[in-house]
Short mmCIF file of all heavy atoms in Angstrom, two decimals:
data_model
loop_
_atom_site.label_atom_id
_atom_site.label_comp_id
_atom_site.label_asym_id
_atom_site.label_seq_id
_atom_site.Cartn_x
_atom_site.Cartn_y
_atom_site.Cartn_z
N GLN A 19 101.46 87.36 108.33
CA GLN A 19 101.40 86.56 109.56
C GLN A 19 102.53 86.93 110.53
O GLN A 19 102.44 86.66 111.71
CB GLN A 19 101.46 85.07 109.22
CG GLN A 19 102.78 84.59 108.65
CD GLN A 19 102.89 84.71 107.14
OE1 GLN A 19 102.20 85.53 106.53
NE2 GLN A 19 103.74 83.88 106.54
N HIS A 20 103.58 87.59 110.01
CA HIS A 20 104.65 88.05 110.89
C HIS A 20 104.45 89.51 111.30
O HIS A 20 105.31 90.09 111.97
CB HIS A 20 106.00 87.93 110.15
CG HIS A 20 106.44 86.53 109.91
ND1 HIS A 20 106.79 85.65 110.91
CD2 HIS A 20 106.57 85.81 108.74
CE1 HIS A 20 107.14 84.49 110.40
NE2 HIS A 20 106.98 84.56 109.09
N CYS A 21 103.32 90.07 110.88
CA CYS A 21 103.09 91.51 111.10
C CYS A 21 101.75 91.81 111.75
O CYS A 21 101.15 92.84 111.49
CB CYS A 21 103.18 92.24 109.76
SG CYS A 21 104.69 91.92 108.84
N ALA A 22 101.26 90.88 112.57
CA ALA A 22 99.99 91.05 113.27
C ALA A 22 98.79 91.13 112.31
O ALA A 22 97.76 91.70 112.65
CB ALA A 22 100.02 92.28 114.18
N GLY A 23 98.93 90.56 111.10
CA GLY A 23 97.80 90.47 110.20
C GLY A 23 97.73 91.57 109.17
O GLY A 23 98.44 92.59 109.23
N ILE A 24 96.89 91.37 108.17
CA ILE A 24 96.80 92.28 107.02
C ILE A 24 96.26 93.65 107.41
O ILE A 24 96.60 94.66 106.78
CB ILE A 24 95.93 91.64 105.90
CG1 ILE A 24 96.26 92.29 104.55
CG2 ILE A 24 94.47 91.71 106.23
CD1 ILE A 24 97.61 91.92 103.99
N ASN A 25 95.44 93.73 108.44
CA ASN A 25 94.94 95.04 108.86
C ASN A 25 96.07 95.90 109.40
O ASN A 25 96.10 97.11 109.14
CB ASN A 25 93.85 94.88 109.95
CG ASN A 25 92.52 94.44 109.35
OD1 ASN A 25 92.16 94.84 108.24
ND2 ASN A 25 91.79 93.61 110.06
N HIS A 26 96.95 95.30 110.15
CA HIS A 26 98.10 96.06 110.65
C HIS A 26 99.03 96.45 109.51
O HIS A 26 99.59 97.54 109.50
CB HIS A 26 98.86 95.24 111.70
CG HIS A 26 99.87 96.04 112.47
ND1 HIS A 26 99.53 97.18 113.17
CD2 HIS A 26 101.20 95.88 112.64
CE1 HIS A 26 100.60 97.68 113.75
NE2 HIS A 26 101.63 96.91 113.45
N VAL A 27 99.15 95.56 108.52
CA VAL A 27 99.94 95.88 107.33
C VAL A 27 99.36 97.10 106.62
O VAL A 27 100.10 98.02 106.24
CB VAL A 27 99.99 94.67 106.38
CG1 VAL A 27 100.55 95.08 105.02
CG2 VAL A 27 100.84 93.56 106.99
N ALA A 28 98.05 97.12 106.45
CA ALA A 28 97.41 98.27 105.79
C ALA A 28 97.66 99.56 106.55
O ALA A 28 97.91 100.62 105.97
CB ALA A 28 95.90 98.02 105.67
N THR A 29 97.62 99.48 107.87
CA THR A 29 97.88 100.65 108.70
C THR A 29 99.30 101.17 108.50
O THR A 29 99.52 102.38 108.36
CB THR A 29 97.65 100.32 110.18
OG1 THR A 29 96.34 99.81 110.35
CG2 THR A 29 97.83 101.53 111.06
N ILE A 30 100.26 100.27 108.46
CA ILE A 30 101.65 100.67 108.25
C ILE A 30 101.84 101.26 106.85
O ILE A 30 102.52 102.28 106.66
CB ILE A 30 102.59 99.47 108.45
CG1 ILE A 30 102.56 99.01 109.91
CG2 ILE A 30 104.03 99.81 108.05
CD1 ILE A 30 103.26 97.71 110.17
N LEU A 31 101.20 100.65 105.86
CA LEU A 31 101.30 101.15 104.49
C LEU A 31 100.77 102.57 104.35
O LEU A 31 101.25 103.35 103.52
CB LEU A 31 100.57 100.23 103.52
CG LEU A 31 101.24 98.89 103.20
CD1 LEU A 31 100.31 98.04 102.35
CD2 LEU A 31 102.57 99.12 102.48
N SER A 32 99.79 102.92 105.17
CA SER A 32 99.23 104.27 105.10
C SER A 32 100.29 105.33 105.40
O SER A 32 100.19 106.47 104.93
CB SER A 32 98.05 104.41 106.09
OG SER A 32 98.48 104.32 107.43
N ASP A 33 101.31 104.97 106.16
CA ASP A 33 102.43 105.88 106.44
C ASP A 33 103.62 105.65 105.51
O ASP A 33 104.30 106.58 105.12
CB ASP A 33 102.89 105.72 107.89
CG ASP A 33 101.90 106.28 108.90
OD1 ASP A 33 101.13 107.17 108.52
OD2 ASP A 33 101.90 105.81 110.05
N LEU A 34 103.85 104.39 105.17
CA LEU A 34 105.02 104.04 104.35
C LEU A 34 104.86 104.49 102.91
O LEU A 34 105.85 104.75 102.22
CB LEU A 34 105.24 102.52 104.39
CG LEU A 34 106.49 101.96 103.71
CD1 LEU A 34 107.76 102.48 104.37
CD2 LEU A 34 106.46 100.44 103.72
N VAL A 35 103.62 104.63 102.44
CA VAL A 35 103.35 104.86 101.03
C VAL A 35 104.04 106.12 100.52
O VAL A 35 104.49 106.16 99.35
CB VAL A 35 101.83 104.94 100.77
CG1 VAL A 35 101.21 106.12 101.49
CG2 VAL A 35 101.53 104.99 99.29
N GLU A 36 104.20 107.12 101.35
CA GLU A 36 104.80 108.38 100.87
C GLU A 36 106.29 108.22 100.54
O GLU A 36 106.86 109.08 99.85
CB GLU A 36 104.63 109.48 101.93
CG GLU A 36 105.29 109.20 103.25
CD GLU A 36 104.94 110.23 104.30
OE1 GLU A 36 103.78 110.68 104.36
OE2 GLU A 36 105.85 110.60 105.06
N LYS A 37 106.89 107.13 100.97
CA LYS A 37 108.30 106.89 100.68
C LYS A 37 108.51 105.87 99.56
O LYS A 37 109.65 105.59 99.20
CB LYS A 37 109.03 106.44 101.94
CG LYS A 37 109.04 107.49 103.05
CD LYS A 37 109.96 107.12 104.18
CE LYS A 37 110.03 108.25 105.20
NZ LYS A 37 110.96 107.93 106.31
N ILE A 38 107.42 105.33 99.04
CA ILE A 38 107.52 104.32 98.00
C ILE A 38 107.53 104.96 96.62
O ILE A 38 106.70 105.84 96.32
CB ILE A 38 106.33 103.33 98.10
CG1 ILE A 38 106.41 102.56 99.44
CG2 ILE A 38 106.34 102.36 96.94
CD1 ILE A 38 105.21 101.69 99.69
N ILE A 39 108.44 104.51 95.78
CA ILE A 39 108.52 104.98 94.39
C ILE A 39 107.95 103.89 93.49
O ILE A 39 108.49 102.77 93.46
CB ILE A 39 109.98 105.30 94.00
CG1 ILE A 39 110.51 106.43 94.90
CG2 ILE A 39 110.07 105.70 92.53
CD1 ILE A 39 111.98 106.72 94.70
N PRO A 40 106.83 104.15 92.79
CA PRO A 40 106.15 103.09 92.02
C PRO A 40 107.05 102.35 91.04
O PRO A 40 106.97 101.13 90.91
CB PRO A 40 105.04 103.86 91.29
CG PRO A 40 104.78 105.05 92.16
CD PRO A 40 106.11 105.43 92.72
N GLU A 41 107.92 103.09 90.35
CA GLU A 41 108.79 102.45 89.36
C GLU A 41 109.71 101.41 90.01
O GLU A 41 110.03 100.39 89.41
CB GLU A 41 109.61 103.52 88.64
CG GLU A 41 108.82 104.42 87.71
CD GLU A 41 107.96 105.46 88.47
OE1 GLU A 41 108.24 105.69 89.67
OE2 GLU A 41 107.02 105.99 87.85
N LYS A 42 110.13 101.68 91.24
CA LYS A 42 111.00 100.72 91.94
C LYS A 42 110.20 99.49 92.37
O LYS A 42 110.75 98.40 92.43
CB LYS A 42 111.64 101.40 93.16
CG LYS A 42 112.68 102.45 92.79
CD LYS A 42 113.37 103.01 94.03
CE LYS A 42 114.45 104.00 93.63
NZ LYS A 42 115.17 104.54 94.82
N LEU A 43 108.92 99.68 92.63
CA LEU A 43 108.06 98.53 92.92
C LEU A 43 108.01 97.57 91.75
O LEU A 43 108.14 96.36 91.89
CB LEU A 43 106.63 98.99 93.24
CG LEU A 43 106.30 99.43 94.66
CD1 LEU A 43 104.85 99.89 94.70
CD2 LEU A 43 106.54 98.31 95.67
N LEU A 44 107.82 98.13 90.57
CA LEU A 44 107.66 97.30 89.37
C LEU A 44 108.97 96.57 89.04
O LEU A 44 108.94 95.45 88.53
CB LEU A 44 107.21 98.15 88.19
CG LEU A 44 105.89 98.90 88.40
CD1 LEU A 44 105.46 99.62 87.14
CD2 LEU A 44 104.79 97.96 88.89
N LYS A 45 110.09 97.17 89.36
CA LYS A 45 111.37 96.49 89.13
C LYS A 45 111.52 95.26 90.04
O LYS A 45 112.20 94.29 89.68
CB LYS A 45 112.52 97.46 89.36
CG LYS A 45 112.68 98.52 88.26
CD LYS A 45 113.87 99.42 88.52
CE LYS A 45 114.03 100.45 87.39
NZ LYS A 45 115.18 101.35 87.62
N LEU A 46 110.87 95.32 91.19
CA LEU A 46 110.92 94.18 92.11
C LEU A 46 110.22 92.95 91.50
O LEU A 46 110.61 91.82 91.79
CB LEU A 46 110.26 94.53 93.44
CG LEU A 46 111.03 95.45 94.37
CD1 LEU A 46 110.24 95.69 95.65
CD2 LEU A 46 112.39 94.87 94.71
N VAL A 47 109.22 93.17 90.67
CA VAL A 47 108.52 92.06 90.03
C VAL A 47 109.51 91.30 89.15
O VAL A 47 109.51 90.06 89.10
CB VAL A 47 107.33 92.54 89.21
CG1 VAL A 47 106.65 91.38 88.51
CG2 VAL A 47 106.33 93.27 90.09
#
């Protein structure tokens, strides 16, 4: 809701994903 909706989020993730390390994601949980 702070990012113009989930569609805009998906669009940003399409570019951000290459910088995300999966193992670091799981540590966030």
Side-chain angles (χ1 to χ4, degrees):
Q19 68 272 24
H20 293 292
C21 307
I24 201 71
N25 284 325
H26 193 56
V27 168
T29 304
I30 294 170
L31 286 174
S32 67
D33 289 335
L34 185 63
V35 65
E36 62 187 39
K37 297 190 175 182
I38 296 174
I39 298 174
E41 291 73 18
K42 291 185 177 181
L43 275 178
L44 301 185
K45 287 182 180 179
L46 287 180
V47 178

